[in-house]
Amino acid sequence: MYEHPLSGVTVVSLEQAVAAPFATRQLADLGARVIKVERPGGGDFARRYDTTVHGQSSYFVWLNRSKESLTLDVKSPGGREVLEELLAGADVFVQNLAPGAAARLGLDVASLSARYPSLIPCTISGYGTSGPWADRKAYDLLVQCQTGLVSLTGTAEETARVGVSVADIAAGMYAYSGILTALYTRATTGTARAVEVSLFEALGEWMSQPAYYTRYGGVPPQRIGTQHATIAPYGAYTAGDGGQVLFSVQNEREWAALCERFLERPDLVDDPRFATGSARVAHRDELNAVVAERFGRSGSAEIMRTLDEAGIANAGVNDVHEFVAHKVLAERGRWHDVAIPGAVVPMLEPPADISGVRPRMDPVPAAGEHTERILTELGRTAADIEALRADGAI
C-alpha cells in the first residue's frame, strides 16, 4: 500500500482557468484533499474552453483530476458561511480571483491570517497585489508579450506565442513549490506563512537569461526559429529525405567530434571562424551552409544514427501525435487511466517520481459533484441543503 505524502492536508481553492488549478492538482497528486469551489450554474469557466475530450475540456481534464467539486456562491450569506467553515478546517487556501476580488470578499491575506492563524493563504495574480499594475487583468499570452517572450519566439520575419500556457504553468509551479515550503515551515516552526505568485514575475524568472544577455550585451538574442540564439550549431536542419533533425553542440569536444565524424571536415575544428562558441554564433550563416550541405546527402534516420555514434545529442522534430505515441512514455508506463464525466481516458503521470510513492490519479469531477457530501460532512441536513439550493447558494 502506497503512502501519499500530503495525506491529511486539506486545500480549499477558489480557482479558475490554469495557474491555480495546476498548483492544486499537483498537491492532489501527492494526496492532499483539494476542495474546488466553483460557481453555481456552470463552474470553472475552463470547463468550457473546448469539448474535445469526450465532451470535456482538454484544459479542465488536465488540471482537475483527484479534486472534489463544490458549487458555492461565496457572496451569498449561506454560501459564505459554508466557505468559512471549510476554511476553519483547512490547511491551505488558494485563489486566483480577479484583481481586488479577494479583498472585497475579506479573503485577502491579512483578513484570513487574522481569522485563521494556522491557514496558509496562497494568492496567484497577474502582476502582483501591489505596484502600478495590481488592478490589471492578465492572461497567459498578455504576460508572454509583457515579459518579452513573444519577441524571442518565432522566425526572423514574425513573432509567435509559445504553444502552451507557459506563464500560467510557471505561476502554478511556483505556487505549488511555495505551498510545499510553507507547509514545511509550519510543520517545523508552527508559523503559517502566506504565499504570493504573479504570472508576470514567474515567467520573468524564466526570462532571466535573455534579460541578462540583453542588459549586459546591449542587444537582445535574435529570433531564429528552432535555432538557438546564443549557441551554434543548435537547431533543426532538413535531411535529404525531407525529415527534420535537431542537434546541439555544447562544447569544443562535441564540436571536434561533429567535424570529424559527421561533417567529415576535420579542417573546420580549428578554423578561426568556428573554433569557439562565440565565433560559431558570429559566423552562423557560413556554418549553417556547411551543415545543410551535409544533411542533404543523407536521410534523417542515417543522420540520427551517425550523430548518435559521434556522441552528439539529437532528435527528430515530432508533432503532437508522435509525442503521444512516443515509445519512452509507453515503455516506461507513464500513461494511467483516469475517469472523467462519461468516459475513461489515459493521462500522463506526474513527472516527479518519488521512491515508494504512487501519485493519486482519481477522477476528474463534474461541476458540483461533491456538494452534498461536503455539506453533509459539515453537518447540514437534507433540508438545509435544499434550502441552500433554493436560495442559489449552491
Side-chain angles (χ1 to χ4, degrees):
M1 184 69 179
Y2 288 101
E3 294 290 335
H4 289 124
L6 295 186
S7 179
V9 171
T10 298
V11 180
V12 174
S13 191
L14 270 174
E15 61 180 27
Q16 55 198 353
V18 176
F22 188 43
T24 59
R25 195 220 73 194
Q26 293 175 92
L27 297 170
D29 290 343
L30 293 178
R33 182 186 189 187
V34 177
I35 299 174
K36 181 183 178 78
V37 178
E38 302 191 64
R39 297 176 180 86
D44 182 347
F45 55 74
R47 288 182 178 275
R48 294 175 294 284
Y49 278 166
D50 61 72
T51 57
T52 57
V53 186
H54 299 284
Q56 304 297 313
S57 159
S58 56
Y59 278 90
F60 196 86
V61 166
W62 164 43
L63 296 165
N64 290 284
R65 64 173 179 248
S66 304
K67 299 180 184 179
E68 299 172 46
S69 173
L70 165 69
T71 50
L72 202 63
D73 178 0
V74 298
K75 295 180 180 179
S76 70
R80 184 52 184 266
E81 183 181 351
V82 170
L83 179 63
E84 294 295 329
E85 288 183 43
L86 289 172
L87 292 176
D91 298 285
V92 179
F93 173 65
V94 180
Q95 63 89 8
N96 65 334
L97 300 174
R104 290 191 295 273
L105 290 168
L107 298 173
D108 54 288
V109 169
S111 301
L112 287 171
S113 298
R115 296 201 301 278
Y116 310 110
S118 66
L119 182 69
I120 295 168
C122 177
T123 302
I124 301 176
S125 65
Y127 297 99
T129 57
S130 63
W133 280 21
D135 295 329
R136 195 177 184 94
K137 283 187 175 182
Y139 300 116
D140 183 85
L141 185 51
L142 302 177
V143 175
Q144 288 193 36
C145 289
Q146 284 296 304
T147 57
L149 178 59
V150 166
S151 76
L152 303 180
T153 308
T155 65
E157 294 75 29
E158 186 177 9
T159 60
R161 69 178 285 269
V162 174
V164 295
S165 301
V166 66
D168 286 314
I169 293 168
M173 289 297 302
Y174 287 118
Y176 166 60
S177 61
I179 290 166
L180 292 179
T181 303
L183 285 167
Y184 176 79
T185 300
R186 193 186 66 174
T188 55
T189 69
T191 301
R193 299 193 180 278
V195 177
E196 179 177 346
V197 177
S198 77
L199 273 68
F200 181 69
E201 288 158 4
L203 192 55
E205 167 67 19
W206 291 14
M207 283 290 294
S208 291
Q209 181 274 322
Y212 299 151
Y213 182 94
T214 301
R215 183 165 190 167
Y216 298 104
V219 293
Q222 292 179 285
R223 187 173 60 250
I224 47 177
T226 62
Q227 300 210 9
H228 196 289
T230 59
I231 302 173
Y234 190 159
Y237 298 84
T238 302
D241 61 2
Q244 283 203 314
V245 177
L246 185 143
F247 76 95
S248 169
V249 167
Q250 297 278 321
N251 53 56
E252 303 318 314
R253 178 186 56 77
E254 291 183 353
W255 168 243
L258 182 78
C259 292
E260 294 165 358
R261 303 182 63 181
F262 176 70
L263 295 178
E264 300 167 354
R265 291 286 304 276
D267 59 297
L268 296 181
V269 174
D270 298 316
D271 187 313
R273 296 173 299 167
F274 311 131
T276 67
S278 297
R280 290 192 290 275
V281 171
H283 296 89
R284 184 193 304 275
D285 290 344
E286 297 163 80
L287 178 56
N288 280 345
V290 173
V291 174
E293 187 278 330
R294 173 64 184 86
F295 262 63
R297 290 191 271 120
S298 301
S300 53
E302 180 187 342
I303 286 171
M304 286 190 283
R305 183 170 59 253
T306 305
L307 288 171
D308 283 342
E309 291 169 354
I312 304 297
N314 67 90
V317 180
N318 287 348
D319 62 20
V320 181
H321 286 295
E322 290 167 317
F323 164 68
V324 170
H326 206 293
K327 65 182 181 180
V328 170
L329 298 177
E331 293 181 17
R332 281 177 49 77
R334 304 309 295 185
W335 294 103
H336 184 94
D337 285 347
V338 174
I340 66 172
V344 175
V345 299
M347 297 180 68
L348 285 171
E349 292 192 354
D353 291 333
I354 303 172
S355 177
V357 173
R358 290 289 297 169
R360 183 164 63 119
M361 299 187 70
D362 291 346
V364 175
E369 179 179 340
H370 302 93
T371 299
E372 291 192 17
R373 191 182 77 191
I374 293 169
L375 292 174
T376 301
E377 288 178 11
L378 294 175
R380 301 299 194 277
T381 65
D384 295 331
I385 294 170
E386 194 53 46
L388 287 168
R389 185 170 285 110
D391 289 341
I394 59 173

